[in-house]
Amino acid sequence: MTARAADRARYDRATAHLDAPLAIVDLEAFDANADDLVRRAGGKPIRVASKSVRCRALLERVLAREGFAGIMSFTLAESLWLARAGFDDVLLAYPSADRAAFAELAGDPKLAAAVTVMVDDVAQLDLIDASRGDGREVVRVCLELDTSLRLLGGRVRVGARRSPLHSPAEVAETARAVARRPGFEVVGIMAYEGHVAGVGDAVAGRPLRSRAIRLMQAAARRELAVRRAEVVRAVRAVVPGLEFVNGGGTGSVQHTAAEDAVTEIAAGSGLYVPRLFDNYTSFRGRPAALFAQPVVRRPGVGVVTVLGGGYPASGAAGLDRSPVPYLPEGLRYDPQEQAGEVQTPLLGSPADDLLIGDKVWFRHAKAGELCERFDALHLVEGDAVTATVPTYRGEGRTFL
């Protein structure tokens, strides 16, 4: 029996009393992935990206482990919710225009002490000030650095379009603007190198493309390491008490951690290890989060149909954003239908061994987005479900 076949047998036994559709997290794999992230971080603390987890119980579990500290959130409303729940170090990774939430933040000392907001434009400060109402708490600010690699005099850009702050002078000037403004305090810098941390460098069946990605990423790491250090020096000249410099992501943990200027690493997807993180040469994780769909039809030889399963991930539309049938091994989509909202045909010889009501296990393309489809995660240890915990959705929280 292969390791994957053994996992299927465990998951089927653990959930035999549960009807699909359902989602699980294998805690042994989750904890092993957490340990590997800590190893790769080389002693620097890891701030957990909540959008990759979207389950309070699992955020609490990983933050209880040595090597993890703080949360990187994805909306301001989520940040306030987590802070009220007892998480005392929440960095909002994206700018917000949530005026009501800014009023709450500026009016509550506990929230203002626990939550740091992201800024890359003084117009965002204007919006916060206009939202304060009677709130006069100091708002903690993190400045985001654009990490994109610019080539040929800026005519070629590699990397996500995020912050407009690219040079040390631009970041330092924004730090001065914040420092001059009453009611704000610069406490950190964030720089997410998504073109390194979020792009696999070993694309199956594409050796030339994989080689090109590795060359690009090596150049990007070299350029960013020098520029990030210069940015930190420039900002510390304005804000000597800077508390943290956050960088990285699951795919670049060990590279970013090696930079002296970086004080903490961000990661989250590496806990669940969705399918988009299979294509890296720098690490190999264990799939920890899966979902099961029930077989509801047997249209013919070598074909079964499962209920639902069309859960595409965000990003540029393509087959790599679809879930993949994972267990039993050997199933594939019908190319004319792919994954459907209500039904999904699956082809392959393993289909002939599946009965009506059997489970087919899938892996989602991106980590926490799976939790937008399920109210609960069943936590598996060995061949038993030892707990069932709500996702954000299960707690009535759909922030985006």
Side-chain angles (χ1 to χ4, degrees), residues 1 5 8 54 63 70 82 88 113 135 144 166 178 183 191 194 214 223 234 269 285 319 322 326-327 333 362 370:
M1 181 181 291
R8 180 197 174 199
R54 302 193 205 196
L63 285 169
L82 291 172
D88 60 4
E144 180 169 2
H166 188 80
V178 177
R214 287 194 288 273
E223 185 275 338
S269 294
L319 293 179
S322 293
Y326 183 61
L327 301 170
Y333 290 125
F362 292 77
L370 171 63

Short mmCIF file of all heavy atoms in Angstrom, two decimals, residues 1 5 8 54 63 70 82 88 113 135 144 166 178 183 191 194 214 223 234 269 285 319 322 326-327 333 362 370:
data_model
loop_
_atom_site.label_atom_id
_atom_site.label_comp_id
_atom_site.label_asym_id
_atom_site.label_seq_id
_atom_site.Cartn_x
_atom_site.Cartn_y
_atom_site.Cartn_z
N MET A 1 0.84 -1.19 0.00
CA MET A 1 0.00 0.00 0.00
C MET A 1 0.88 1.25 0.00
O MET A 1 1.81 1.37 0.80
CB MET A 1 -0.91 0.01 1.24
CG MET A 1 -1.84 1.22 1.32
SD MET A 1 -2.88 1.23 2.81
CE MET A 1 -3.97 -0.15 2.48
N ALA A 5 -2.32 5.84 -0.41
CA ALA A 5 -3.40 4.89 -0.21
C ALA A 5 -3.66 4.68 1.29
O ALA A 5 -4.81 4.55 1.72
CB ALA A 5 -3.07 3.56 -0.88
N ARG A 8 -5.61 7.60 2.50
CA ARG A 8 -7.02 7.48 2.12
C ARG A 8 -7.76 6.55 3.06
O ARG A 8 -8.89 6.85 3.50
CB ARG A 8 -7.14 6.99 0.68
CG ARG A 8 -8.59 6.87 0.22
CD ARG A 8 -8.73 6.03 -1.01
NE ARG A 8 -10.15 5.82 -1.31
CZ ARG A 8 -10.61 4.86 -2.09
NH1 ARG A 8 -9.76 4.00 -2.65
NH2 ARG A 8 -11.90 4.73 -2.31
N ARG A 54 -7.79 30.73 8.22
CA ARG A 54 -9.23 31.05 8.35
C ARG A 54 -9.98 30.13 9.31
O ARG A 54 -11.10 29.72 9.07
CB ARG A 54 -9.91 31.07 6.97
CG ARG A 54 -9.26 32.07 6.03
CD ARG A 54 -10.06 32.35 4.79
NE ARG A 54 -9.17 32.80 3.73
CZ ARG A 54 -9.54 33.40 2.62
NH1 ARG A 54 -10.82 33.65 2.40
NH2 ARG A 54 -8.65 33.75 1.71
N LEU A 63 -0.01 29.17 16.98
CA LEU A 63 0.64 30.21 17.76
C LEU A 63 1.09 29.73 19.14
O LEU A 63 1.90 30.38 19.79
CB LEU A 63 -0.30 31.41 17.90
CG LEU A 63 -0.43 32.26 16.64
CD1 LEU A 63 -1.55 33.27 16.76
CD2 LEU A 63 0.89 32.97 16.32
N GLY A 70 2.38 36.21 16.50
CA GLY A 70 1.60 37.22 15.81
C GLY A 70 0.85 36.70 14.61
O GLY A 70 1.11 35.62 14.09
N LEU A 82 -10.35 39.47 15.65
CA LEU A 82 -9.30 38.65 16.26
C LEU A 82 -8.76 39.31 17.53
O LEU A 82 -8.50 38.62 18.53
CB LEU A 82 -8.17 38.42 15.27
CG LEU A 82 -8.50 37.52 14.06
CD1 LEU A 82 -7.35 37.53 13.06
CD2 LEU A 82 -8.80 36.10 14.51
N ASP A 88 -3.25 39.38 20.48
CA ASP A 88 -2.79 40.71 20.88
C ASP A 88 -1.74 41.32 19.96
O ASP A 88 -1.19 42.39 20.26
CB ASP A 88 -2.25 40.68 22.32
CG ASP A 88 -1.08 39.72 22.48
OD1 ASP A 88 -0.62 39.14 21.48
OD2 ASP A 88 -0.62 39.55 23.63
N ALA A 113 -3.89 49.09 20.58
CA ALA A 113 -2.62 48.50 21.01
C ALA A 113 -2.32 47.18 20.32
O ALA A 113 -1.15 46.81 20.16
CB ALA A 113 -2.63 48.30 22.52
N GLY A 135 -12.75 59.15 18.41
CA GLY A 135 -11.62 58.31 18.81
C GLY A 135 -10.29 59.02 18.64
O GLY A 135 -10.01 59.58 17.57
N GLU A 144 4.40 49.59 3.66
CA GLU A 144 4.67 48.47 2.75
C GLU A 144 5.60 48.90 1.62
O GLU A 144 5.37 49.90 0.94
CB GLU A 144 3.39 47.91 2.14
CG GLU A 144 3.69 46.74 1.20
CD GLU A 144 2.48 45.95 0.77
OE1 GLU A 144 1.35 46.32 1.15
OE2 GLU A 144 2.67 44.95 0.05
N HIS A 166 8.75 52.21 -3.73
CA HIS A 166 9.76 51.28 -4.24
C HIS A 166 11.16 51.60 -3.74
O HIS A 166 11.93 50.70 -3.42
CB HIS A 166 9.73 51.30 -5.78
CG HIS A 166 10.59 50.26 -6.41
ND1 HIS A 166 10.21 48.94 -6.55
CD2 HIS A 166 11.84 50.33 -6.94
CE1 HIS A 166 11.15 48.25 -7.14
NE2 HIS A 166 12.16 49.07 -7.39
N VAL A 178 4.15 60.29 8.17
CA VAL A 178 3.39 59.66 9.27
C VAL A 178 3.88 60.21 10.60
O VAL A 178 3.08 60.54 11.49
CB VAL A 178 3.52 58.13 9.22
CG1 VAL A 178 2.79 57.51 10.41
CG2 VAL A 178 2.98 57.57 7.91
N GLY A 183 -1.40 61.39 16.10
CA GLY A 183 -2.32 60.27 16.12
C GLY A 183 -1.85 59.04 15.38
O GLY A 183 -2.60 58.05 15.28
N ALA A 191 7.42 43.79 3.47
CA ALA A 191 7.79 43.63 2.06
C ALA A 191 7.54 42.18 1.67
O ALA A 191 8.28 41.29 2.10
CB ALA A 191 9.26 43.99 1.84
N GLY A 194 6.09 38.26 -3.46
CA GLY A 194 5.21 37.22 -3.96
C GLY A 194 5.75 36.50 -5.17
O GLY A 194 5.44 35.32 -5.39
N ARG A 214 13.65 30.08 -11.86
CA ARG A 214 14.73 30.04 -10.87
C ARG A 214 15.73 31.18 -11.08
O ARG A 214 16.20 31.80 -10.12
CB ARG A 214 15.42 28.68 -10.89
CG ARG A 214 14.58 27.56 -10.28
CD ARG A 214 15.39 26.31 -10.02
NE ARG A 214 15.76 25.62 -11.24
CZ ARG A 214 14.99 24.71 -11.84
NH1 ARG A 214 13.81 24.40 -11.33
NH2 ARG A 214 15.40 24.12 -12.94
N GLU A 223 18.52 41.48 -5.64
CA GLU A 223 18.16 42.89 -5.71
C GLU A 223 17.40 43.34 -4.48
O GLU A 223 17.68 44.41 -3.90
CB GLU A 223 17.33 43.14 -6.98
CG GLU A 223 17.00 44.60 -7.25
CD GLU A 223 15.77 45.11 -6.53
OE1 GLU A 223 14.91 44.28 -6.14
OE2 GLU A 223 15.67 46.34 -6.32
N ALA A 234 17.12 53.67 5.99
CA ALA A 234 16.52 54.99 5.76
C ALA A 234 15.36 55.25 6.71
O ALA A 234 15.20 56.36 7.23
CB ALA A 234 16.06 55.10 4.31
N SER A 269 0.35 29.48 4.14
CA SER A 269 -0.02 28.40 3.23
C SER A 269 0.76 27.12 3.51
O SER A 269 0.28 26.01 3.27
CB SER A 269 0.22 28.83 1.78
OG SER A 269 -0.64 29.88 1.42
N GLY A 285 6.33 20.05 1.55
CA GLY A 285 5.43 19.90 2.68
C GLY A 285 4.49 18.72 2.50
O GLY A 285 4.53 18.02 1.48
N LEU A 319 -6.35 26.26 -15.27
CA LEU A 319 -6.53 24.95 -14.66
C LEU A 319 -5.78 24.82 -13.34
O LEU A 319 -6.17 24.04 -12.47
CB LEU A 319 -6.06 23.86 -15.63
CG LEU A 319 -6.92 23.70 -16.90
CD1 LEU A 319 -6.34 22.61 -17.79
CD2 LEU A 319 -8.37 23.39 -16.55
N SER A 322 -7.88 25.26 -10.15
CA SER A 322 -8.91 24.28 -9.79
C SER A 322 -8.39 23.32 -8.73
O SER A 322 -7.18 23.06 -8.66
CB SER A 322 -9.33 23.47 -11.02
OG SER A 322 -9.99 24.28 -11.95
N TYR A 326 -7.49 13.81 -5.53
CA TYR A 326 -6.24 13.37 -4.89
C TYR A 326 -6.29 11.91 -4.47
O TYR A 326 -5.34 11.16 -4.67
CB TYR A 326 -5.98 14.29 -3.69
CG TYR A 326 -4.70 14.03 -2.94
CD1 TYR A 326 -3.47 14.15 -3.55
CD2 TYR A 326 -4.73 13.69 -1.58
CE1 TYR A 326 -2.29 13.94 -2.85
CE2 TYR A 326 -3.56 13.48 -0.86
CZ TYR A 326 -2.35 13.61 -1.50
OH TYR A 326 -1.18 13.40 -0.80
N LEU A 327 -7.39 11.49 -3.87
CA LEU A 327 -7.55 10.12 -3.39
C LEU A 327 -8.95 9.61 -3.75
O LEU A 327 -9.92 10.34 -3.50
CB LEU A 327 -7.36 10.05 -1.87
CG LEU A 327 -6.02 10.53 -1.32
CD1 LEU A 327 -6.07 10.61 0.20
CD2 LEU A 327 -4.90 9.61 -1.76
N TYR A 333 -10.15 14.81 -14.20
CA TYR A 333 -11.35 15.46 -14.68
C TYR A 333 -11.65 15.06 -16.13
O TYR A 333 -10.73 14.75 -16.91
CB TYR A 333 -11.19 16.98 -14.63
CG TYR A 333 -11.17 17.57 -13.25
CD1 TYR A 333 -10.12 18.37 -12.82
CD2 TYR A 333 -12.22 17.34 -12.35
CE1 TYR A 333 -10.10 18.93 -11.56
CE2 TYR A 333 -12.21 17.90 -11.09
CZ TYR A 333 -11.14 18.69 -10.70
OH TYR A 333 -11.13 19.23 -9.44
N PHE A 362 -10.15 15.61 -2.39
CA PHE A 362 -9.56 16.62 -3.26
C PHE A 362 -8.62 17.52 -2.48
O PHE A 362 -8.75 17.68 -1.27
CB PHE A 362 -10.67 17.52 -3.85
CG PHE A 362 -11.59 16.86 -4.83
CD1 PHE A 362 -12.60 16.01 -4.39
CD2 PHE A 362 -11.48 17.10 -6.19
CE1 PHE A 362 -13.48 15.41 -5.28
CE2 PHE A 362 -12.35 16.51 -7.10
CZ PHE A 362 -13.34 15.66 -6.64
N LEU A 370 -10.27 27.45 0.83
CA LEU A 370 -11.13 26.28 1.04
C LEU A 370 -12.15 26.54 2.14
O LEU A 370 -13.30 26.07 2.07
CB LEU A 370 -10.25 25.08 1.40
CG LEU A 370 -10.96 23.81 1.87
CD1 LEU A 370 -11.83 23.24 0.75
CD2 LEU A 370 -9.95 22.78 2.34
#
